[in-house]
């Protein structure tokens, strides 16, 4: 009986993980899938450039705002209820977005949809921390890393397929409607399979409203000028970034003080763990370079070279395939190789992006999807060796009661990194596009090299950690 019960528990936790991964895939997919839908959406709703910017950036903004409070709420109140509510809200807002009759309607739905995604994602990582222990977390984190990489990369392809199937007039609506049946199934399975709140969990906890306010204001001030960089003219908007950073320092100081009274929104002592601090820095920098790749590639292929949305999506397929395979492998071997595995992955991404830029330079008139297929495959393999292993190492020392808030802060850094990376790489891209002849190819090459430079900063951070650990090991051996 005991063995049979253990088998049932083993099967159930993998089923619960499967539900979480599907939900994570669906919510992360909506970051990139909408990019290829913008032209048809523009024609259907007569949206202004500002409206289109908010359709894209509003989702990322509210996503990033909710992550840490949602993670903490799941830690305290139970992850199942938070997860199910978030998926239900995501499903409803996806339907509302698909039914939109005006730009304002669509923007409002996207803001709520992003908040719902922010509710869901910390629960998935927290569930892995809760259901798995020690080294056995490597495999589920590998699957989560593959989910993150594939969902981000495959969004343009799936969006192109849906638009081709739905037609130029209403195809963009199916980009949102596709979430509805998946979301309904995820709600049902989440209620059945996800564990409830542990019995020993206290029913009442001190609230931390000032912490929530400081974090929300700080993240908003940092993200707003980044996500609205094209619509807000003039340099004054960048004053919000230092104001946001000062507010986040205030959040840090407040959380340290609040921890003396009771559990804070986020326990800043997690940053005393080198694995968490360094992993968070690597994630922030890597997502700054990684996410921007798909943004500039979609613009270059569709606007610069005249390819369809479907071809633009297919072009990214080598990256997605490489990332999927390498994530699964990386998750299995990260406990054996540690941070050097992440460094190898970062080196692969830098090499792949550099080769893609070189290929465009050497073969300017060749079909772009074929020319950059191999470099994107190399970059995808490298990416798979970064996201999942780095997440496993970063969260390895986070206690289970803080798993949700710890994961939420890690993902908040990823969202800030993504927004900052797109802002920097986008600025390089658009400044080069306006320069003159053959501007699109030059802009793409420079943008790829900029992304590679940002990823190189993450590689430097990983290398520093490897050297420090090597010296520490040598010192311990001498002792």
């Amino acid at each position: 009986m005991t063995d049979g019960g253990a088998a049932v528990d083993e099967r159930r936790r993998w089923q619960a993980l499967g539900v979480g991964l599907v939900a994570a895939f669906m919510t992360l997919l909506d970051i990139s899938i909408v990019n290829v839908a913008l032209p048809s959406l523009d024609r259907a709703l007569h949206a202004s450039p500002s409206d289109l910017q908010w359709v894209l950036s509003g989702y990322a903004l509210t996503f990033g705002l909710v992550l840490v409070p949602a993670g903490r709420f799941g830690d305290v109140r139970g992850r199942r209820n938070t997860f199910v509510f978030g998926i239900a809200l995501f499903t409803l807002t996806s339907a509302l977005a698909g039914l939109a009759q005006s730009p304002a309607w669509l923007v409002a739905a996207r803001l709520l949809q992003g908040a719902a995604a922010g509710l869901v994602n910390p629960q998935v990582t927290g569930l892995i921390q809760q259901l798995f222990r020690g080294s056995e977390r490597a495999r589920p984190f590998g699957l989560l890393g593959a989910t993150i990489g594939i969902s981000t990369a495959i969004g343009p392809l799936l969006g192109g397929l849906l638009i081709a199937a739905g037609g130029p007039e209403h195809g963009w609506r199916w980009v949102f409607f596709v979430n509805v049946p998946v979301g309904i199934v995820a709600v049902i399975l989440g209620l059945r399979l996800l564990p409830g709140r542990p019995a020993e969990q206290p029913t009442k906890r001190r609230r931390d409203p000032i912490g929530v306010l400081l974090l929300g204001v700080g993240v908003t001030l940092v993200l707003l000028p980044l996500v609205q960089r094209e619509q807000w003219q003039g340099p004054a908007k960048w004053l919000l970034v230092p104001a946001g950073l000062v507010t986040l320092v205030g959040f840090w100081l407040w959380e340290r003080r609040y921890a003396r009274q009771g559990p804070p929104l986020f326990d800043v002592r997690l940053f005393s763990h080198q694995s968490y601090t360094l992993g968070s820095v690597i994630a922030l920098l890597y997502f700054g370079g990684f996410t921007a790749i798909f943004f500039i590639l979609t613009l270059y292929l569709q606007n610069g070279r005249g390819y369809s949305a479907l071809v633009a999506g297919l072009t990214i397929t080598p990256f997605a395939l490489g990332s999927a395979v390498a994530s699964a492998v990386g998750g299995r071997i990260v406990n054996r190789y540690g941070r050097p595995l992440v460094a190898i992955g970062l080196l692969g991404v830098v090499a792949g992006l550099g080769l893609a830029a070189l290929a465009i330079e050497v073969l300017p008139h060749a079909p772009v999807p074929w020319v950059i297929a191999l470099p994107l495959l190399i970059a995808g393999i490298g990416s798979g060796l970064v996201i999942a292993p780095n997440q496993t190492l970063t969260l390895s020392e986070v206690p289970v009661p803080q798993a949700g808030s710890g994961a939420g802060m890690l993902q908040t850094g990823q969202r800030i990194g993504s927004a900052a990376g797109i802002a920097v790489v986008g600025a390089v891209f658009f400044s080069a596009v306006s320069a003159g002849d053959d501007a699109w190819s030059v802009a793409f090459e420079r943008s790829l090299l900029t992304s590679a430079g940002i990823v190189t900063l993450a590689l430097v951070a990983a290398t520093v950690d490897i050297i420090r650990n090597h010296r520490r090991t040598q010192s311990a051996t001498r002792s």
Side-chain angles (χ1 to χ4, degrees):
M1 286 292 291
T2 305
D3 292 341
V8 171
D9 291 341
E10 176 74 7
R11 184 167 63 248
R12 188 180 182 91
R13 69 175 179 168
W14 284 103
Q15 290 172 340
L17 174 65
V19 176
L21 293 179
V22 169
F25 180 87
M26 183 170 62
T27 55
L28 293 168
L29 184 74
D30 268 57
I31 295 174
S32 60
I33 194 173
V34 179
N35 281 313
V36 296
L38 290 181
S40 58
L41 189 155
D42 183 16
R43 290 191 296 270
L45 296 182
H46 307 291
S48 68
S50 180
D51 294 328
L52 296 177
Q53 181 67 28
W54 271 107
V55 168
L56 289 177
S57 61
Y59 183 90
L61 177 63
T62 52
F63 193 143
L65 280 176
V66 172
L67 283 167
V68 176
R72 186 62 188 148
F73 189 84
D75 289 339
V76 175
R77 294 293 181 180
R79 297 187 177 94
R80 180 177 63 192
N81 291 341
T82 311
F83 175 90
V84 170
F85 176 76
I87 285 295
L89 180 61
F90 186 85
T91 304
L92 175 62
T93 52
S94 295
L96 290 174
L99 293 170
Q101 301 299 311
S102 68
W105 178 338
L106 181 58
V107 169
R110 285 286 284 174
L111 290 170
L112 288 172
Q113 192 186 31
L119 281 172
V120 171
N121 276 270
Q123 316 314 322
V124 179
T125 310
L127 278 169
I128 293 176
Q129 298 283 88
Q130 179 180 338
L131 295 174
F132 300 87
R133 292 288 182 268
S135 60
E136 67 179 5
R137 288 175 181 160
R139 185 182 175 195
F141 271 130
L143 294 172
L144 179 59
T147 300
I148 294 171
I150 295 171
S151 61
T152 306
I154 208 171
L157 171 60
L158 184 56
L161 290 171
L162 289 170
I163 291 169
E169 182 68 23
H170 298 292
W172 67 270
R173 297 186 185 274
W174 291 102
V175 167
F176 301 109
F177 285 147
V178 72
N179 294 327
V180 176
V182 180
I184 292 172
V185 173
V187 167
I188 296 170
L189 294 179
L191 286 170
R192 289 187 57 189
L193 297 174
L194 269 60
R197 185 173 58 196
E200 68 272 12
Q201 191 82 291
T203 56
K204 295 188 70 175
R205 291 281 189 105
R206 290 175 60 88
R207 300 288 189 266
D208 186 8
I210 295 179
V212 173
L213 179 63
L214 286 172
L215 180 63
V217 171
V219 172
T220 301
L221 290 175
V222 170
L223 282 179
L224 263 180
L226 296 174
V227 299
Q228 286 289 289
R229 65 197 178 282
E230 293 298 317
Q231 304 307 319
W232 291 4
Q233 301 300 316
K237 62 177 178 289
W238 298 115
L239 295 175
L240 294 178
V241 174
L245 294 176
V246 169
T247 306
L248 291 176
V249 171
F251 166 76
W252 177 285
L253 297 173
W254 170 259
E255 293 300 283
R256 287 184 60 185
R257 177 185 174 189
Y258 191 86
R260 302 182 195 127
Q261 309 170 32
L265 173 65
F266 174 75
D267 192 340
V268 297
R269 290 173 295 185
L270 287 178
F271 285 110
S272 65
H273 300 295
Q274 182 178 325
S275 60
Y276 188 82
T277 302
L278 195 79
S280 298
V281 171
I282 291 173
L284 184 146
L285 292 170
Y286 179 66
F287 272 78
F290 159 72
T291 311
I293 298 168
F294 311 109
F295 170 67
I296 60 171
L297 181 56
T298 301
L299 286 174
Y300 173 59
L301 290 173
Q302 290 188 257
N303 296 351
R305 298 296 294 266
Y307 289 100
S308 67
L310 180 57
V311 173
L314 286 169
T315 303
I316 301 170
T317 303
F319 188 103
L321 292 175
S323 179
V325 174
S327 292
V329 174
R332 291 176 180 271
I333 63 177
V334 62
N335 290 320
R336 188 189 312 169
Y337 296 104
R339 192 72 69 187
L341 182 66
V342 177
I344 291 171
L346 291 167
L347 188 61
V349 175
V350 172
L353 296 181
L355 288 172
L358 180 63
I360 295 296
E361 174 69 25
V362 174
L363 301 168
H365 304 297
V368 176
W370 292 107
V371 165
I372 63 173
L374 181 58
L376 286 182
L377 177 63
I378 295 171
I381 292 171
S383 181
L385 296 179
V386 174
I387 296 176
N390 185 64
Q391 189 155 253
T392 302
L393 296 169
T394 303
L395 299 176
S396 60
E397 297 181 86
V398 175
V400 173
Q402 298 168 332
S405 57
M409 185 61 75
L410 176 63
Q411 292 185 43
T412 300
Q414 293 172 359
R415 299 279 72 79
I416 292 174
S418 296
I422 290 174
V424 171
V425 176
V428 171
F429 184 87
F430 289 118
S431 64
V433 162
S434 60
D437 295 336
D438 202 24
W440 285 97
S441 293
V442 172
F444 184 56
E445 291 171 33
R446 291 180 182 176
S447 300
L448 284 175
L449 294 176
T450 304
S451 292
I454 297 172
V455 176
T456 300
L457 295 177
L459 177 59
V460 170
T463 304
V464 168
D465 183 51
I466 293 169
I467 294 172
R468 288 178 60 182
N469 286 335
H470 180 66
R471 288 176 177 172
R472 190 181 298 119
T473 302
Q474 285 185 325
S475 178
T477 302
R478 292 193 193 100
S479 300

